[in-house]
Amino acid sequence: MYRIVKKRELAENVDEFVIEAPEIAQKAKPGQFVIIRISKKGERIPLTIAEKDPEFGTITLMVQRVGKTTFHLSCFEEEHIIPDVVGPLGKPTHIEKWGHVVCIGGGLGLAPIHHIAQGVKEAGNEITTIMGFRRKDLVFWEDKMKLLSDKVIVTTNDGSYGMKGLVTDALQKLIDDGVKIDMVITAGPVPMMKAVAELTKKYEIPTVASLNPIMVDGTGMCGACRVTVDGEVKFACVDGPEFDAHKVDFDELINRLNMFKTLEAEALKMFQKKHCGCGKE
Amino acid sequence: MGKKEIKKERIPVPERPAEERIKDFKEVKLGYTPELAIEEAKRCIQCPTAPCVEGCPVRVPIPQFIKLIAEGKFVEAARKIKEENILPSICGRVCPQEDQCEKVCVIGKIGQPVNIGGLEAFAGDYEARMGSEKIEKAEPTGKKVAIVGSGPGGITCAVDLAKLGHSVTIFEALHEPGGVLIYGIPEFRLPNEIVHRELEALKELGVEIKLNCVIGKTKTLEELRREFDAVFIASGAGLPYMLNIEGLNLNGVYSANEFLTRVNLMGAYRFPEYDTPVFAGKRLAVIGGGNTAMDVARTAKRLKGVEEVYIIYRRSEKEMPARVEEIHHAKEEGVIFKTLTNPVKFIGENGWLKGIECVRMELSEPDESGRRRPVPIEGSNFVIDVETVVLAIGQGPNPIVMEGVEGLEIGKWGQIIVDPETCQTSLEGVFAGGDVIHGGSTVIQAMGDARKAAAAIHEYLLEK
C-alpha cells in the first residue's frame, strides 16, 4: 500500500505527490519511473520519479491533468492510499563527468530533469538548466532547479516571465554566446524534444532525450512503448526511457501517442460528467 | 454378468451456441452436469496399466478420481485430484489433454478417449461450490523460499513447498497474481473468478504473495539469495517477438501480449467502465497459428465494433500448433482462416494501419522441426484490408529477472539453463522452471517442472 504523504498544486493542472514507497525510494536512480494504478478498475500509467528520499522512504511524482486517470488522481488528498505503485522501472540515466551539461525541461519534463540533474551534479558536472513554460503562472520548481544548477534560464512562450520564447531559443543563445556545451539532456513534450535534437545535431552536441510513449506493464512484456531508434525497434520501458536524441524517430513517437486519443477523450468526458467539482475545471 | 460394452463416443460437454457466446466474455463451456459426468466417468474401464497417469506431467491419479465420479462421490474425486494437482478447475480447462493424458487413454484406441479434462474441471468446480477442505501442512521447518512469478509454475512450487512446512513468499511484478492465467488466457476459456478462487488455497497454506515487485528492479535476485534459503524462478516467457517488417510501429499494430493484457488483465472490453482502452477497427488480423493466436482472434470477435477477424498463418491448417478444439471454436465463431499466407509489409496511411501486404506460400521439404517449410510463391503478393493487426508469433523469456546477475547460465534465446533432473540453475540454491527454461510452452508443463523443482528444493533445504 502506498500512502500519499504530501500533495500540493504546483501550477494550473499540475500536482506534486509525495508517496510512501520505501523499497522504490531505496532503489530509484535518476531517469527511472514507476507505473501506478489508482483504483480497482483503473489503468496503469507511467510517471517519472522526480525526487526520492530513501531515509523517509518516499518518492515524489509530478502529475499533469490531461485525462481521466490524472484528473481522478488530483482528487486524492493526503493520507489517501494508492493501491499499486511498481518500480523503479527503466534503465537509470547513464551519467559521467562530461564537463558542462545543459538540462532542458519543458513543463512536466522537469520531473525526470530534476532527478537526472541531481545525478549529473553529483558526478561533478557544471549544469545550466533551461526550463520552458507557456506562461508565468505555469512556472514551478525554479527554486529546486536553482539549488542544483550553476545557472537557470526560465523561458515563457509569451514572455510573461523570464526570457520570451522557447527553450530552443535559450539554447541557441548559449551556443551563439560561445558557451561550451558537452552534453544536452532533455525531457518534455515530444515536439520540444524534437526541436532540441534538431538544433544540437547541427552543432554536433551529444544529446539524450527521455521519451514518454504509451505504456501498459512497464516491464518489457508487451511492446506498447516501442520506439524506433537508429532504425531499430526498442522498448522504451526496458531499453530506455532515455535514448540518443539524434537517432530517435520523433514523428513516429508523436503519431503513436495519438493511438487512443478518441477513447481517452471519451473516458475523460464521462468522468467529468459524473464528478462535478472534482474534475477541477 | 457379461463383459461390459465400451461406449466409443464421449459425452459432449454442453457449450453455449456460437451466435450467443460471441456477444460476451462469459465462459463458452457450460461444463458437465452431475448426470453427464457420471455417464462419461463410466466410460473409463479402470485399466490396470493407467497410461493416462504417465501422460500427466503432475501424475494426477486419474482412474481413481474418475471412479469416484462414477460413484457420485464428486467432492472426494476433487480431493483425490488435489493430492497431486491443486488447480483442477484451471487444468481441466486449459491443459492440452489430447497431447497428454487423453493421448494415451486406452479407450482412445477404439473410440474417443475419456474426457479426462472435462471430468477434472467438473470435479474442481463441484468441490468449490461445496467449500474446499483445509489442506494438510507439515510442521514448520524454519526454511524460507522465494518464488519469482505467480503463474502456474510459481503457484505449484509454492503449494508443494508450503505443504512440506517451508515458509514461501511469491514475488509478482503485476498488480494481480496468476501470470498467464490472468493476463493471457481469455475469460471465455478460463474465467478470472476461477483463478482467484483456486489461488485462495495459497492463502490457506500461508503463502505470502508480494505484488508490484519486479525482481531485477524492485529487488534483485542477489538480494533474494541473501534473504532466502532457496529461490525458484518461474518468470515465464513474457517477451513478445516482433515481426520486423515495414510498418511495425503504425498505430493499430499490437503484440498479442499487449492486446490480451489490455483486454483480460485490465478489463478493456468493459471500457469506459474500466479505464484501460483498446483500439480495434472493423477488420482485424492475427498473425500466427498457435493457441495465443486463437485466443486473440476469439477475443477480437467479442469486441464492440469488430466485424471481421482473420488468422494469417504461413503454413497450412494441419501444421497449426493450436489445439484442434481451439481452431474448431474459432471457426464456429466466424474467424476467417488465411493459411499459407505470410505478411511482408504493413501498409499505413497518416500513421494508421490500413492493410497488410501478404504473399502466398507453398510447402516444401520438412525442416529440422519436422514441419514442412513454407516458401513464398513469387509474384503472388496481395493486400488484406485491416485497421488492426495483432502479432502472435511467439515469445521468449523476459531478461529483467536476470539483470545484473553474475554466474547464471543463459541459453542462446535467453532461456535459463537448468539440470533437467532437478531444475537447478548454475547458481547454488537457485532453481527455475516453466516458460523461462522452455520458451512459450503449456500450463501443465510449467506445473510439471515446478513439481520436480519443489522436490529438489526440499532435498536441498534438508541437506543445507
Side-chain angles (χ1 to χ4, degrees), chain B residues 213-242:
Chain B
C213 189
V214 184
I215 301 304
K217 294 286 183 190
T218 317
K219 250 178 189 303
T220 62
L221 188 57
E222 283 310 316
E223 284 172 296
L224 290 188
R225 290 182 78 195
R226 281 200 294 273
E227 293 166 28
F228 292 84
D229 298 297
V231 179
F232 179 58
I233 305 173
S235 50
L239 178 78
Y241 292 148
M242 292 287 171

Side-chain angles (χ1 to χ4, degrees), chain B residues 67-229:
Chain B
K67 185 161 184 272
L68 288 164
I69 291 180
E71 291 165 357
K73 295 175 181 160
F74 306 136
V75 172
E76 290 82 347
R79 287 177 190 163
K80 184 48 88 182
I81 300 169
K82 285 190 174 178
E83 286 173 12
E84 298 301 333
N85 175 8
I86 66 141
L87 310 174
S89 293
I90 292 172
C91 289
R93 284 173 171 80
V94 303
C95 274
Q97 288 95 2
E98 68 275 17
D99 292 326
Q100 315 254 356
C101 53
E102 293 175 15
K103 187 182 184 180
V104 289
C105 171
V106 169
I107 309 288
K109 287 181 186 150
I110 52 159
Q112 290 178 317
V114 175
N115 190 347
I116 301 169
L119 291 172
E120 185 181 32
F122 164 78
D125 293 353
Y126 190 94
E127 190 213 17
R129 280 198 297 272
M130 297 295 128
S132 306
E133 197 186 12
K134 225 180 160 58
I135 307 166
E136 297 273 328
K137 218 175 123 176
E139 284 297 305
T141 60
K143 301 280 187 193
K144 289 161 69 188
V145 183
I147 292 179
V148 182
S150 65
I155 297 166
T156 307
C157 189
V159 169
D160 280 9
L161 291 171
K163 276 186 184 170
L164 292 164
H166 305 299
S167 156
V168 181
T169 308
I170 300 181
F171 295 89
E172 168 56 50
L174 289 171
H175 57 265
E176 262 192 55
V180 74
L181 305 173
I182 284 288
Y183 78 76
I185 301 171
E187 294 229 49
F188 53 84
R189 277 217 293 138
L190 177 64
N192 286 354
E193 193 184 87
I194 290 179
V195 181
H196 295 151
R197 187 186 83 204
E198 297 222 316
L199 289 183
E200 282 297 303
L202 289 177
K203 264 194 220 150
E204 271 178 45
L205 280 165
V207 172
E208 197 197 335
I209 306 182
K210 260 195 102 289
L211 300 171
N212 295 318
C213 189
V214 184
I215 301 304
K217 294 286 183 190
T218 317
K219 250 178 189 303
T220 62
L221 188 57
E222 283 310 316
E223 284 172 296
L224 290 188
R225 290 182 78 195
R226 281 200 294 273
E227 293 166 28
F228 292 84
D229 298 297

Side-chain angles (χ1 to χ4, degrees), chain A residues 43-271:
Chain A
E43 61 181 336
R44 295 167 67 98
I45 61 162
L47 293 168
T48 317
I49 300 165
E51 195 171 26
K52 71 200 166 206
D53 189 333
E55 203 181 316
F56 286 96
T58 59
I59 53 171
T60 302
L61 305 175
M62 234 183 246
V63 184
Q64 182 163 23
R65 286 165 234 155
V66 287
K68 179 185 169 176
T69 299
T70 45
F71 270 96
H72 190 182
L73 184 58
S74 75
C75 307
F76 289 9
E77 298 302 332
E78 285 166 15
E79 297 306 313
H80 191 103
I81 301 287
I82 297 178
D84 303 296
V85 179
V86 59
L89 301 169
K91 277 206 170 76
T93 308
H94 167 80
I95 294 173
E96 46 182 277
K97 192 172 172 184
W98 290 294
H100 179 215
V101 180
V102 177
C103 295
I104 305 175
L108 210 71
L110 262 314
I113 286 299
H114 177 263
H115 200 191
I116 293 167
Q118 283 182 326
V120 170
K121 186 187 162 79
E122 258 170 51
N125 291 287
E126 184 195 341
I127 301 177
T128 299
T129 299
I130 303 174
M131 309 170 67
F133 301 94
R134 275 183 289 128
R135 48 174 207 272
K136 187 182 177 184
D137 58 326
L138 299 175
V139 176
F140 59 84
W141 275 31
E142 189 187 355
D143 49 340
K144 276 183 172 269
M145 292 312 302
K146 273 190 171 155
L147 284 175
L148 289 170
S149 321
D150 297 276
K151 188 180 173 192
V152 171
I153 305 163
V154 180
T155 66
T156 49
N157 297 16
D158 62 358
S160 52
Y161 185 74
M163 183 182 158
K164 183 178 164 119
L166 305 170
V167 292
T168 38
D169 297 324
L171 180 62
Q172 182 72 61
K173 188 163 183 303
L174 287 179
I175 295 168
D176 293 346
D177 289 350
V179 178
K180 185 176 160 285
I181 303 171
D182 301 293
M183 173 59 92
V184 169
I185 301 176
T186 184
V190 188
M192 184 207 89
M193 292 191 283
K194 185 187 171 190
V196 169
E198 280 167 359
L199 178 59
T200 58
K201 195 169 186 178
K202 221 162 57 184
Y203 296 95
E204 292 177 5
I205 305 166
T207 303
V208 162
S210 178
L211 307 187
N212 52 353
I214 291 169
M215 289 189 189
V216 183
D217 64 288
T219 61
M221 70 171 249
C222 86
C225 65
R226 61 192 191 272
V227 289
T228 302
V229 182
D230 206 10
E232 265 182 62
V233 177
K234 299 277 180 195
F235 290 3
C237 73
V238 288
D239 302 318
E242 279 156 39
F243 295 99
D244 181 340
H246 296 155
K247 293 179 174 162
V248 171
D249 186 338
F250 285 107
D251 293 330
E252 180 186 273
L253 177 59
I254 291 170
N255 182 58
R256 283 184 64 81
L257 284 167
N258 287 332
M259 182 147 163
F260 300 96
K261 219 172 188 174
T262 319
L263 294 167
E264 281 160 2
E266 187 189 329
L268 178 62
K269 213 169 123 196
M270 268 198 47
F271 174 76

Side-chain angles (χ1 to χ4, degrees), chain A residues 17-28:
Chain A
F17 289 92
V18 179
I19 292 164
E20 203 170 63
E23 281 184 322
I24 302 171
Q26 280 294 332
K27 284 277 158 65

